[in-house]
Amino acid sequence: MSPQAARKPSLYERLLSLPEGLTGEIIHGQLRAQPRPSWAHGLALSRLGADVEISYGRGRGGPGGWWVIDEPEVHFVLDVEVLVPDIAGWRKARLPSPPSGHKIQAVPDWVCEVFSPSTKSMDREEKMPLYAHYGVGFAWLVDPKAQTLEAYELVDAAWSPLGTYRDDDMVSVAPFDAIVIRLADLWG
């Protein structure tokens, strides 16, 4: 057997070869794959992303100055520590032009994870500490089932709660506190 034929694919090569319909991440040296999200998850993600993108990405009804995208492939360590937040944002002052390709190596200024039953513990217990470790400034956790939004700011390398909001609250919270988000819109 030739050396090339015996070569085991890297974790990232295995991530790229996942079947369609699965999202892959590499967390602490382990390949994690999960199915595409449910309707409730997708609706909350889409509506929250649209609110933030319109006001902060395009500057319509808000200050602008951000890149905001759904499900970016963020390489905290190229091809080794690869996370896919549901939504992420970068201040244009820090990242003046968007990266080329799909491997984004710039640390986001903000991430949002929308819980699904299959991802809730991973989002909270594994991804949140990694986001803090790599210096993401703000993180939001959205739970469509519990109808909550938790907001955090990174202070001295640890998450400091900014607030927990629920049901039909009207939310203005950092880093997007120049706009009001109506949580009821996220739940359908």
Side-chain angles (χ1 to χ4, degrees):
M1 180 181 284
S2 74
Q4 189 159 354
R7 183 182 156 289
K8 183 179 176 183
S10 71
L11 275 179
Y12 189 71
E13 289 169 331
R14 290 176 39 212
L15 182 148
L16 291 176
S17 68
L18 287 172
E20 188 174 333
L22 291 178
T23 298
E25 299 176 288
I26 301 172
I27 300 173
H28 297 300
Q30 294 182 7
L31 177 60
R32 305 290 180 86
Q34 54 273 345
R36 300 299 306 156
S38 69
W39 179 273
H41 178 285
L43 183 67
L45 183 158
S46 296
R47 289 188 170 173
L48 179 59
D51 284 349
V52 172
E53 161 57 22
I54 287 169
S55 299
Y56 279 82
R58 290 185 255 170
R60 294 184 192 156
W66 284 72
W67 301 109
V68 178
I69 63 170
D70 295 346
E71 299 184 340
E73 186 176 295
V74 180
H75 288 247
F76 291 105
V77 178
L78 185 62
D79 295 350
V80 173
E81 198 79 71
V82 182
L83 277 69
V84 180
D86 288 311
I87 315 168
W90 293 260
R91 286 183 169 94
K92 289 181 181 177
R94 198 173 60 78
L95 186 67
S97 51
S100 61
H102 70 278
K103 294 181 180 184
I104 301 170
Q105 293 181 267
V107 173
D109 293 297
W110 167 78
V111 295
C112 178
E113 293 291 355
V114 178
F115 291 159
S116 289
S118 63
T119 65
K120 184 175 182 175
S121 65
M122 181 176 67
D123 290 342
R124 185 182 296 282
E125 297 164 17
E126 296 182 65
K127 292 173 78 172
M128 284 290 284
L130 283 171
Y131 291 142
H133 175 78
Y134 289 107
V136 175
F138 295 90
W140 292 3
L141 299 174
V142 174
D143 188 335
K145 184 175 182 179
Q147 296 187 345
T148 58
L149 182 152
E150 300 170 42
Y152 298 89
E153 180 177 15
L154 192 63
V155 178
D156 297 326
W159 291 118
S160 176
L162 295 174
T164 299
Y165 310 93
R166 53 187 29 88
D167 303 323
D168 62 351
D169 286 351
M170 304 296 277
V171 176
S172 291
V173 65
F176 305 118
D177 49 356
I179 62 170
V180 176
I181 297 167
R182 182 175 175 256
L183 289 188
D185 290 341
L186 308 185
W187 323 133

